[in-house]
Structures are given as C-alpha cells and as structure tokens.
Amino acid sequence: MDKFRTLFLHFQSSSESVMNGVCLLLAMVTVKLYSSFDFNCPCLAHYNALYGLGLLFTPPIALFLCGLLANRQSVVMVEEWRRPAGHRRKDPGIVRYMCSSVLQRALAAPVIWILLALLDGKCFVCAFSSSVDPEKFLDFTNMTPSQVQLFLAKVPCKEDELVRNSPARKAVSRYLRCLSQAIGWSLTLLLILLAFLARCLRPCFDQTVFLQRRYWSNYVDLEQKLFDETCCEHARDFAHRCVLHFFASMQSEMQARGLRRDSAGRGPEAPERPEPPDGLDGGSGKAHLRAVSSQEQVDRLLSAWYSSKPPLDLTASSGLWGCGLTHRAPTVVPGTRESPHTDV
C-alpha cells in the first residue's frame, strides 16, 4: 500500500509522468478502437477515395485534438505565449520547448492509427482501387473503360457478384495491400530511425539551453498550479472568515435585542461582546492569506498577476509587490521571519 501511495503521489506531482500515462492510454485506446472497427467500403467510384482517406485521416485528427485537450501544458503554453510581458520578460524558447513537448505527446495516438491502417491495408485498397492503372494487369484487356472503372470500384468488396472469385480482383487487391504495407513499414522504420538519432545525437550537443528550457517550462507549469491552489486556499479562508463574521454580527444583534426586551423586567445586563473578526479563525497563522481581506484587493491582485507577473528575482520582488495590496500591514506569526516577497 505504501508503494502504491508513493507511486500515486509521484504521478500526481509530476505533470510529465501524467502526460506520458495519458499518451500511453490514448495509444492503447487507438489500438482497441481500430481492432474493433468494422470497415465497410461503399464500392462506388466517386465515394471510395473519400471514404478510405476519411477513415485514414479523420480519426487521427480527432485523436490529436483529444491529446491536446488532455495535455494541461497546451493551455499553459498558450497562456505563456499570450500573457503581457509586465515585469517578467517572455522567452520564446520556453514556448517552443513546451510546444514540441505537447506535439510529441499528442501525435503518438494519431501516428499509431495511421500505421495500423496502412499495415492493415483496407483503407488504402478502398481509397485507391479506382486509381490503379489497368495496363499493369492483363485481365482488363477485354473490358471497356467504363467496365474497368466499375470493376476497380468493386475490388474492395470481395463478396460482390461482379468480382467474386475473380483473379483480377485478387491481383489488384494484393498489389494495393502490398503497397500500403510497404508505406506503413517505411514510415515505421523512418520514425524509429529519427527517434534513435535524436536520442543518440542529443548528448553530443551543449545541454545548457535544453536544461534551461526544461527547467523554466516546468516552473511555469508548477507556478500556475501553486497559484491556483493558493487562490483556492485563500477563497476558502476568506469565505470562512466572512461566514464567521456574519454569525458574530448576528449574535451581537440578537443579544442586543434580547437585552432591550429583558431590561423592562430584570434590569440591564452587560451584553457579551463578540470576538473580533480577525480572531475568529483561532489563530491559524495564515498571515499571507489574511493580508488580502477585501474584494477590491483580491481583484487588484488577480489583475496584477495576469497583467504583470512578478520578476523571477526574490531579492527585487519586494519593492514591486510589497505595497498597494493591503490597507494595513500583514500580520506576521510570532516566531517566523517575514518573507522578502509578497505571497499570493
């Protein structure tokens, strides 16, 4: 159980591992979909190519879009590309690195579908049966051009009466299937060769830029995650304090009304004063969250985060972000040292 928990925490904290798992899952789903798919060519001269090429390229496009939607870094990449520069300069190299990483994972499932379709050959035979040169086969010498086109359109449908048990149909189908498999295996060999060269030649070049791009792309992703988590934490703490403040106000009002009602019979009694709103959370020590305590401050902080993110220099960030966010100085928990930069 501890090993499973450790593995789960690793996948939860590592976006790269999660995306690799999603990529593998999409690849497995692609293989399952293609194996359970029932292919039926229309065997019509004007629709064979449209149907065959449509099944060869339309599912890969859908799988590619699903890969982009499932990859969280695609949204982070677009946000990093479109954000205003503000106090932090934008590095196009980080966007390019994230784009290449997103495309590599999103293209895995579509490439698998295309390779499976080419190695199987059904889509290729359906799409290009009407485009075969009849002069390459001797069985079409006694047919008119219209009969040849009709016969070639019926090649994918081996149960059709026109082409059933016909040696010409078997020859054309075998020719197209072999051509499709040759293209499929050639693409497979090319992809494996490119991956091999990329893996073997990458250590031969300077890794400084690559390490920098990888570090800052991970930083952008983790920064956005931490900001979202901190916003949720602040929203929960702010709502908690607002609710407690409301009940404290209602309690003092009810005590005041009870005092006026009972004062005619028993005389005045000292009302119990409610605790101040700042002490309602029991001193949880969340000074960095309690510093932003109004709707205007929250809106200003979120606008500042989007329009001009803080510079990546903790020694200089206090001068830019240490003022203007609160009406009062933030509370510092005893025994702790104030951070040089303002937390969100």
Side-chain angles (χ1 to χ4, degrees), residues 44-46 48-49 125-132 149 152-154 176:
L44 298 174
H46 300 289
N48 282 5
V125 172
C126 180
F128 297 100
S129 61
S130 300
S131 303
V132 173
Q149 290 299 321
L152 293 178
K154 299 292 184 179
L176 292 175

Side-chain angles (χ1 to χ4, degrees), residues 133-152:
D133 187 6
E135 296 181 358
K136 295 181 179 180
F137 305 93
L138 301 177
D139 297 330
F140 297 107
T141 55
N142 298 327
M143 294 184 183
T144 61
S146 60
Q147 291 177 343
V148 170
Q149 290 299 321
L150 180 61
F151 185 90
L152 293 178

Side-chain angles (χ1 to χ4, degrees), residues 77-148:
M77 176 192 65
V78 176
E79 291 178 353
E80 180 66 17
W81 176 49
R82 294 291 300 170
R83 71 171 176 85
H87 297 285
R88 183 189 303 177
R89 67 179 182 88
K90 293 195 293 184
D91 189 356
I94 299 176
V95 179
R96 290 194 298 267
Y97 178 85
M98 298 177 69
C99 181
S100 63
S101 177
V102 169
L103 290 179
Q104 287 176 10
R105 293 183 174 91
L107 286 174
V111 168
I112 290 177
W113 177 279
I114 292 176
L115 291 179
L116 288 176
L118 290 175
L119 294 177
D120 185 56
K122 293 180 181 179
C123 294
F124 196 87
V125 172
C126 180
F128 297 100
S129 61
S130 300
S131 303
V132 173
D133 187 6
E135 296 181 358
K136 295 181 179 180
F137 305 93
L138 301 177
D139 297 330
F140 297 107
T141 55
N142 298 327
M143 294 184 183
T144 61
S146 60
Q147 291 177 343
V148 170

